[in-house]
Amino acid sequence: MKNFRLLLMMAMVAVLSVVLVACADDSDVDPAAENGDDATTENGESTEDASGEASGGGDLVISEASDIVSLDPHGNNDVPSSNVRNNMYESLTYLDENMEVQPRLATEWTEVDDTTWEFTLKEGVTFHDGTEFNAEVVEANLERLLDPAVASPRMFLYEMVTGVDVVDDYTVHINLEYPFAPILAHLAHDAGGMISKEVIDADYEAALSEAGEEMSVEEYYELREEGGESHEEVADAITDEVGNHIADNPVGTGPFEFESRAAGENVVLANYAEYHDDENAAQLDTVTFKVVPETGARLAEIETGSSHIAGGAEPTNIDRIESHDSTEVDLTPSLGLSYVGFNVEQEPLDDPLVRQAISYAIDREAIIEGIYEGVGTPAEGPLAPGVFGYDDSVEGITYDLERAQELMAEAGHEDGFDIEILTNDQPQRIDTAVYMQEALAELNINVSVQQLEWGAYLETTANGDHDMFVLGWSTVTGDADYGMYPLLHSTMHGDPGNRSFLSNDNVDELLEAGRTETDPEAREEIYSELQEGLVDIAPMIYIHHQDFVTGINSNVENFEIDALGIYQLRETTVSE
């Protein structure tokens, strides 16, 4: 293979083959009102009161590469949206820095039997709209998540839930279809964020009205409880309308409340003064998530103080950040995976020999060194070290061009073929796609690269309108079930995670066995067998487990990013 540095020199030529598709907005998100925030100056500095002193912990501005997709926690599985929602919504449990389950809106829990969990809820918690958090709220949220009208791509996280019983105001029973070992970790997921019941009711009311369905919300809930064809018909009728009200009126119990959104520009959150946990209340007055697509522009933002945090700063910019007087770098190992996925339903990628051949032709070390500046750990499979179920004895496919050529010949494709690879506008993904062009030319494969805006990229790959794609996945529960089930199970095609569109009976059986087995050692054996089998199936090229690179202005204190890539802002402050 040609020297990788030469490849980068050729990037300006190779990029001529990139097709840029312009998208004006994100069709999955309804724009809120224009940013009316008057709590910050243009550069995000804290306003002062009459005495000339800052009003609190300051006004933090975070520059992000991509806009959010949805403010509905039951919506999309993307990190930009999760970073905003994580500060507005709270779940029953959460994962601490050691990925251990801790209480949040639930104070304690008991496993009544293999399929019943009892949760005691925290009292005195109010939503941002002043309504009370209680057992009925938990019931309303989980029932909404499972409602086919919502069509939540996150439903798989709770598909084992058969119902919620309200025992009293602050006690609920969550009933499961089968024993599910990681249920507490799943409840800690962003998808488990609790929405105000009044907002949920208003969302359904608006959806029914927009769809022309003449029934009350209570009547719809009764119909949903009954199930059957009548509910299916109404659910189908309102599915395009459900969620629109919540997207514009996100109301949780978190330390920050929604203030404004300008689609494609920013989201502004304000400190929630009535937050229920004084010890863990936010210090900041406001947080602005500002969309700045160009990496260089995000770095310039923190260098000038226009922003305080530059998300996705990329390893190639570490020296720049460290050498500037006003900025520093945060480098956090992740539980994430960067990968190149195959759509296994598309010819000739439906042949595992072709997928193996392409995998053998890719030098992961060259990608990590040449694109990621050596930052990150080569991936042998979908799970990162530290995730429950990870097996360090499994050896994945490594670079072997001769073997790749042999497999192409065995598959009957010595002369190669034409194929397309999709990427969003993240620079390292673009570079990876360009690298793929060069590498696969050695197999006579002609690769064209198509670059899409983030929302369009997610929609296109969810619909299966692609051959190959460059993406990432973070095992946010710290458990192999989340690390593999959504990526590989046949029921997870598209938006939930399986953008490879893999359907394999043995894979499905192992994934189902892994999530229903309660003995930890038996679960580890199941996931080891699965990881070994994936080597031959080759549904994707596992590149590396990345480190998150974040640029920080020096006047920011106590900012953290966790192993899931989510900003931890409760203790963060901005000094003058």
Side-chain angles (χ1 to χ4, degrees), residues 70-288:
S70 175
L71 289 172
D72 183 348
H74 305 162
N76 297 68
N77 259 332
D78 66 295
V79 173
S81 299
S82 295
N83 261 322
V84 177
R85 294 186 301 234
N86 185 64
N87 294 283
M88 292 192 297
Y89 299 101
E90 294 178 304
S91 47
L92 298 182
T93 62
Y94 78 96
L95 299 176
D96 65 16
E97 63 274 10
N98 299 314
M99 299 303 292
E100 295 180 355
V101 176
Q102 301 294 343
R104 180 144 280 163
L105 291 179
T107 59
E108 58 184 0
W109 45 84
T110 303
E111 188 176 8
V112 178
D113 54 48
D114 285 348
T115 58
T116 307
W117 287 78
E118 180 176 283
F119 292 84
T120 302
L121 308 180
K122 186 173 183 179
E123 300 183 30
V125 177
T126 59
F127 283 93
H128 303 151
D129 60 1
T131 59
E132 182 186 13
F133 169 75
N134 55 31
E136 288 187 353
V137 170
V138 177
E139 179 185 36
N141 274 268
L142 288 175
E143 287 184 346
R144 179 178 188 267
L145 259 166
L146 298 171
D147 189 343
V150 177
S152 171
R154 297 174 145 191
M155 184 177 69
F156 72 91
L157 283 157
Y158 306 106
E159 66 179 6
M160 72 295 301
V161 176
T162 57
V164 179
D165 295 331
V166 175
V167 178
D168 57 43
D169 285 350
Y170 298 103
T171 309
V172 295
H173 283 176
I174 296 179
N175 306 309
L176 309 180
E177 180 181 355
Y178 48 81
F180 185 66
I183 184 62
L184 296 176
H186 277 224
L187 289 169
H189 191 277
D190 171 49
M194 293 288 129
I195 307 170
S196 162
K197 186 177 184 301
E198 286 202 5
V199 175
I200 290 176
D201 292 346
D203 185 70
Y204 275 115
E205 183 177 10
L208 289 165
S209 176
E210 289 293 324
E213 295 292 331
E214 297 182 358
M215 67 171 57
S216 68
V217 174
E218 290 73 19
E219 289 172 332
Y220 175 75
Y221 290 162
E222 290 176 3
L223 187 65
R224 185 176 64 185
E225 180 69 22
E226 294 172 4
E229 292 184 6
S230 296
H231 173 245
E232 289 178 6
E233 290 177 2
V234 178
D236 287 343
I238 68 174
T239 188
D240 291 336
E241 310 298 336
V242 173
N244 292 338
H245 178 78
I246 289 176
D248 289 340
N249 301 275
V251 177
T253 64
F256 292 94
E257 60 183 324
F258 176 74
E259 184 165 303
S260 66
R261 180 180 181 210
E265 297 180 18
N266 60 48
V267 179
V268 182
L269 307 182
N271 189 299
Y272 179 47
E274 303 301 319
Y275 184 62
H276 59 88
D277 186 351
D278 290 340
E279 291 185 3
N280 293 295
Q283 305 301 305
L284 293 165
D285 298 315
T286 65
V287 181
T288 299

Side-chain angles (χ1 to χ4, degrees), residues 16-88:
L16 292 176
S17 65
V18 177
V19 180
L20 298 178
V21 178
C23 298
D25 60 11
D26 186 341
S27 60
D28 289 337
V29 183
D30 288 344
E34 288 295 313
N35 181 5
D37 176 36
D38 58 2
T40 60
T41 62
E42 285 187 351
N43 66 0
E45 293 176 352
S46 174
T47 55
E48 297 179 349
D49 59 25
S51 66
E53 294 181 355
S55 58
D59 302 295
L60 185 74
V61 180
I62 302 174
S63 290
E64 292 280 60
S66 301
D67 194 11
I68 65 169
V69 176
S70 175
L71 289 172
D72 183 348
H74 305 162
N76 297 68
N77 259 332
D78 66 295
V79 173
S81 299
S82 295
N83 261 322
V84 177
R85 294 186 301 234
N86 185 64
N87 294 283
M88 292 192 297

Side-chain angles (χ1 to χ4, degrees), residues 340-362 397 403-404 407-408 411 413 417 419 436 440 443 445 467-468 488 500-504 507 533-542:
V340 177
F342 302 108
N343 183 343
V344 303
E345 292 185 340
Q346 298 278 30
E347 295 182 353
L349 299 177
D350 57 343
D351 186 344
L353 295 179
V354 172
R355 301 196 298 268
Q356 291 174 31
I358 293 175
S359 300
Y360 274 111
I362 303 306
I397 294 175
R403 178 59 179 152
L407 287 166
M408 285 289 284
H413 291 289
F417 45 79
I419 202 165
M436 296 288 292
L440 297 187
L443 301 181
I445 299 176
D467 296 324
M468 298 175 64
L488 302 168
S500 298
F501 290 84
L502 179 69
S503 296
N504 183 289
V507 169
L534 288 175
V535 176
D536 290 334
I537 297 171
M540 60 190 68
I541 304 168
Y542 315 103

